[in-house]
Amino acid sequence: MYTEQIERAKQLFGALLERQLKRVEAMKAQEAFLDYAALDRIVIGVCGGDGIGPSITGQAQRVLEFLLKDEIRAGKVEFRVIDGLTIERRAQEGAAIPAQVLAQLKECHAILKGPTTTPRAGDGYPNIESANVAMRKELDLFANVRPVSVPDQGIDWTFFRENTEGGYAAGKEGIAVSEDLCVDFTIVTAQGCDRIIRAAFEYAKNNGKTRVSAVTKANIVKTTDGKFLDAFYRIAKDYPDIAADDWYIDIMTAKLVDEKRRRDFQVLVLPNLYGDILTDEAAEFQGGVGTAGSANLGKRYAMFEAIHGSAPRMVREGRAQYADPCSMLRAAALLLNHIGYPDKAKRLTRALETCTVTERRLVITGRETGCTGEQFADYVMETMEKMN
Ligand code: IPM
Ligand code: MG
């Protein structure tokens, strides 16, 4: 019974394993993290994306240029605007990332990326892959670092979401074995676990954190989550000064709303899909996904983006200039920290706190009732100037 279907499924599965084993070999061949301090010049690519993307990304670029003006003058930092990561161009070329754009991205050391529209059924665009998922894969950006902080509630979390494996690695390669039976795959590799878990512990060590928590469902998803958890405790032994513990995703989802316990979490490391879900929940405490920035880090490349989408409706209604640039400004702070300017990153983060929480002299509402993104960026720069 079903011999033919099973044979076909086996073939597809075999091909999938071959692709994944190739990826393992590529990971084994990978070198150490790029050393930004050793570069004569750091090239920062700026990709506005589409919808409100160019508007908010442009403001983040202005703020970065303000903070890096001496370095730019000295030729130590260069900004390069990369056009063409728009839904129109992507649709025209039928590619998640147009080849020319990808080639330009690969010439940069860090990328600031605005939101990009992901086509969905019924919107008239071809069914191309999400540009940010494609970029994570193409540039092997395996660590998705998402900080969430709510100072007055004592919340200061940094999530290390694995960004290339789990349910995302073969999300398009599930197998419909028959009319009645479908199978998807979740994928874990020793190399993939190792690099994300070490990145989390290294971050903890370098940033004065005393605890790293792993989040899995290893009691049920035994093989892949089990592998992740084993790797976690093995690597934890290399960091004896940092407490290591683990939680299942269901109870962790609950603990994040537990006011007595949640402030104790510091660094969390987790497989891709759990990280996708938990970081949306976490960002909600800070004011929603619109306020959160995210770093996508690989050994050679690094990309910094907002967590939210491109809000095409705001553009249709002529309100793009009123879009809130805060998520991109937070992404800019993550970028500064990553390329070796932690003090500038702290200055920007403190200014953002003043402008959005403590002082709020200007407020963004998304329409004429509030200030424009440009006015807000000016306000952030004035605030930083006063902090000197
Ligand atoms: C995110 C987003 C993406 C993801 C989407 C847009 C494909 O939700 O960055 O968390 O699922 O990773
Ligand atoms: Mg998400």
Side-chain angles (χ1 to χ4, degrees), residues 225-266:
D225 281 8
K227 178 97 179 160
F228 190 93
L229 198 53
D230 283 349
F232 176 75
Y233 282 116
R234 181 170 41 74
I235 292 165
K237 291 201 190 107
D238 295 342
Y239 300 86
D241 299 335
I242 297 170
D245 58 356
D246 82 279
W247 298 73
Y248 295 135
I249 179 67
D250 49 351
I251 190 65
M252 179 54 90
T253 310
K255 284 297 142 196
L256 289 195
V257 287
D258 178 343
E259 288 179 10
K260 288 197 287 295
R261 301 291 295 280
R262 66 181 178 194
R263 63 185 65 204
D264 299 336
F265 295 115
Q266 299 181 18

Side-chain angles (χ1 to χ4, degrees), residues 146 161 276 280:
R146 298 186 159 180
R161 163 188 174 188
D276 177 45
D280 268 20

Side-chain angles (χ1 to χ4, degrees), residues 147-320:
V148 168
S149 106
V150 190
D152 60 349
Q153 291 177 32
I155 293 177
D156 185 10
W157 300 323
T158 309
F159 293 88
F160 276 73
R161 163 188 174 188
E162 202 294 321
N163 218 15
T164 50
E165 305 200 330
Y168 283 64
K172 291 180 304 187
E173 297 159 66
I175 301 173
V177 180
S178 74
E179 278 283 292
D180 303 316
L181 177 66
C182 292
V183 188
D184 263 314
F185 302 99
T186 186
I187 289 164
V188 146
T189 64
Q191 291 71 21
C193 293
D194 201 274
R195 60 188 189 173
I196 185 69
I197 293 165
R198 275 189 201 284
F201 276 102
E202 280 297 309
Y203 172 86
K205 189 174 93 184
N206 297 330
N207 290 274
K209 308 284 180 191
T210 54
R211 181 182 183 193
V212 179
S213 309
V215 185
T216 70
K217 189 73 184 176
N219 52 339
I220 302 298
V221 187
K222 291 186 191 290
T223 309
T224 49
D225 281 8
K227 178 97 179 160
F228 190 93
L229 198 53
D230 283 349
F232 176 75
Y233 282 116
R234 181 170 41 74
I235 292 165
K237 291 201 190 107
D238 295 342
Y239 300 86
D241 299 335
I242 297 170
D245 58 356
D246 82 279
W247 298 73
Y248 295 135
I249 179 67
D250 49 351
I251 190 65
M252 179 54 90
T253 310
K255 284 297 142 196
L256 289 195
V257 287
D258 178 343
E259 288 179 10
K260 288 197 287 295
R261 301 291 295 280
R262 66 181 178 194
R263 63 185 65 204
D264 299 336
F265 295 115
Q266 299 181 18
V267 178
L268 299 97
V269 61
L270 62 183
N272 209 339
L273 189 56
Y274 306 143
D276 177 45
I277 298 166
L278 206 65
T279 54
D280 268 20
E281 185 199 12
E284 198 64 24
F285 299 117
Q286 178 185 275
V289 289
T291 61
S294 132
N296 296 262
L297 312 179
K299 296 261 163 106
R300 167 63 184 81
Y301 298 102
M303 181 268 278
F304 302 82
E305 63 179 348
I307 295 194
H308 59 79
S310 60
R313 194 157 65 118
M314 285 192 78
V315 180
R316 276 199 304 277
E317 293 173 2
R319 295 188 283 120

